[in-house]
Amino acid sequence: MTEVIRVVLADDQHLVRSAFAMLITATPHMEVVGEACHGGEAVELARTARADVVVMDIRMPRLDGIEATRRIASDEDLAGVKVLVLTTYDTDEHIIEALRAGASGFLVKDTRPQDLLDAIRTVAAGEALLSPGPTARLIERVLRHPPGTVPAPGRPGALGELSPREREVLTLVARGLNNTEIADALVLSPLTAKTHVSRIMGKLGARDRAQLVVLAYESGLIVPGVSGGA
């Protein structure tokens, strides 16, 4: 990626924002174009600073990171803005709400600096980033409970609109495979795998791959704890 990735940092702790800003500013092809101390500022900066990625803390005053993410994801003028959610604990149940709201992925705050930079690059490129390890456990634990008031992306019943091949591809997406890995698993070209993923997103009304993961679980396509699931 040679274009500069424009990043907005949203966290109510000034020290955290400053540390992240120093890291990102020192990295080639990245720049910090705004800092927000609450969700409302994050939404506004996403628009005015022409951000590519918003690194969003969940717990902030006035407007939390989940609602800010929802507003960004639902605004057609901000369709190109990706949200990377940061949380203090990998067991934070709000992560699922953030993914439902439109976040492209999440990381825990104590992640290594290089992992944060890689995550920003990943979501800027349009891929989902689900922190390794905790993802399947977190989704399994949260989805045991009845759905809350936050709507899931797309419509679970819409899985009937998918072809058998598209259901196979969605299952592999939910297991965390990228396009190249999906192509290898199904003996396809990477371009064909990418095309399948794009069509699935269109049919299910999902903003990105992260929402496809949540939808695959909520629809029952992937059963937590069963061999072959995520």
Side-chain angles (χ1 to χ4, degrees):
M1 184 177 296
T2 57
E3 296 183 358
V4 174
I5 302 174
R6 300 171 61 82
V7 181
V8 165
L9 300 173
D11 196 297
D12 62 333
Q13 298 182 40
H14 178 74
L15 186 60
V16 172
R17 295 199 313 272
S18 297
F20 287 165
M22 290 177 60
L23 174 65
I24 293 169
T25 300
T27 302
H29 309 302
M30 286 189 193
E31 66 174 325
V32 175
V33 295
E35 296 184 31
C37 62
H38 60 78
E41 282 187 332
V43 175
E44 185 60 26
L45 283 171
R47 180 179 296 106
T48 60
R50 296 182 294 110
D52 298 307
V53 177
V54 178
V55 178
M56 185 87 73
D57 185 31
I58 288 182
R59 295 181 176 89
M60 291 186 290
R62 298 175 60 177
L63 188 72
D64 65 33
I66 295 172
E67 181 58 31
T69 297
R70 185 176 295 112
R71 294 186 186 185
I72 290 172
S74 63
D75 190 329
E76 292 184 359
D77 292 336
L78 301 178
V81 180
K82 306 298 182 182
V83 177
L84 175 64
V85 167
L86 293 181
T87 181
T88 305
Y89 306 104
D90 64 25
T91 56
D92 192 334
E93 295 187 2
H94 290 111
I95 292 171
I96 292 295
E97 285 190 75
L99 295 177
R100 285 171 174 155
S104 293
F106 74 89
L107 283 177
V108 292
K109 279 188 176 181
D110 64 354
T111 190
R112 297 181 305 171
Q114 187 59 51
D115 288 342
L116 174 62
L117 298 175
D118 289 343
I120 292 172
R121 295 188 186 98
T122 296
V123 299
E127 297 287 339
L129 190 287
L130 304 176
S131 189
T135 304
R137 182 181 72 248
L138 174 69
I139 291 176
E140 177 176 358
R141 186 167 58 85
V142 174
L143 294 187
R144 286 194 191 113
H145 304 290
T149 57
V150 180
R155 309 179 313 280
L159 260 62
E161 300 174 13
L162 302 183
S163 69
R165 174 62 86 185
E166 288 170 340
R167 290 173 70 91
E168 285 183 297
V169 171
L170 177 56
T171 299
L172 296 179
V173 169
R175 290 173 53 192
L177 275 64
N178 61 32
N179 290 340
T180 299
E181 292 167 337
I182 292 171
D184 290 343
L186 299 180
V187 194
L188 304 170
S189 72
L191 179 58
T192 300
K194 181 179 180 180
T195 299
H196 278 309
V197 173
S198 296
R199 287 176 178 170
I200 293 167
M201 289 171 57
K203 287 183 177 181
L204 300 184
R207 177 181 171 91
D208 58 21
R209 297 169 76 105
Q211 289 196 325
L212 288 182
V213 172
V214 174
L215 181 54
Y217 276 86
E218 294 191 322
S219 67
L221 181 64
I222 295 293
V223 180
V226 175
S227 178

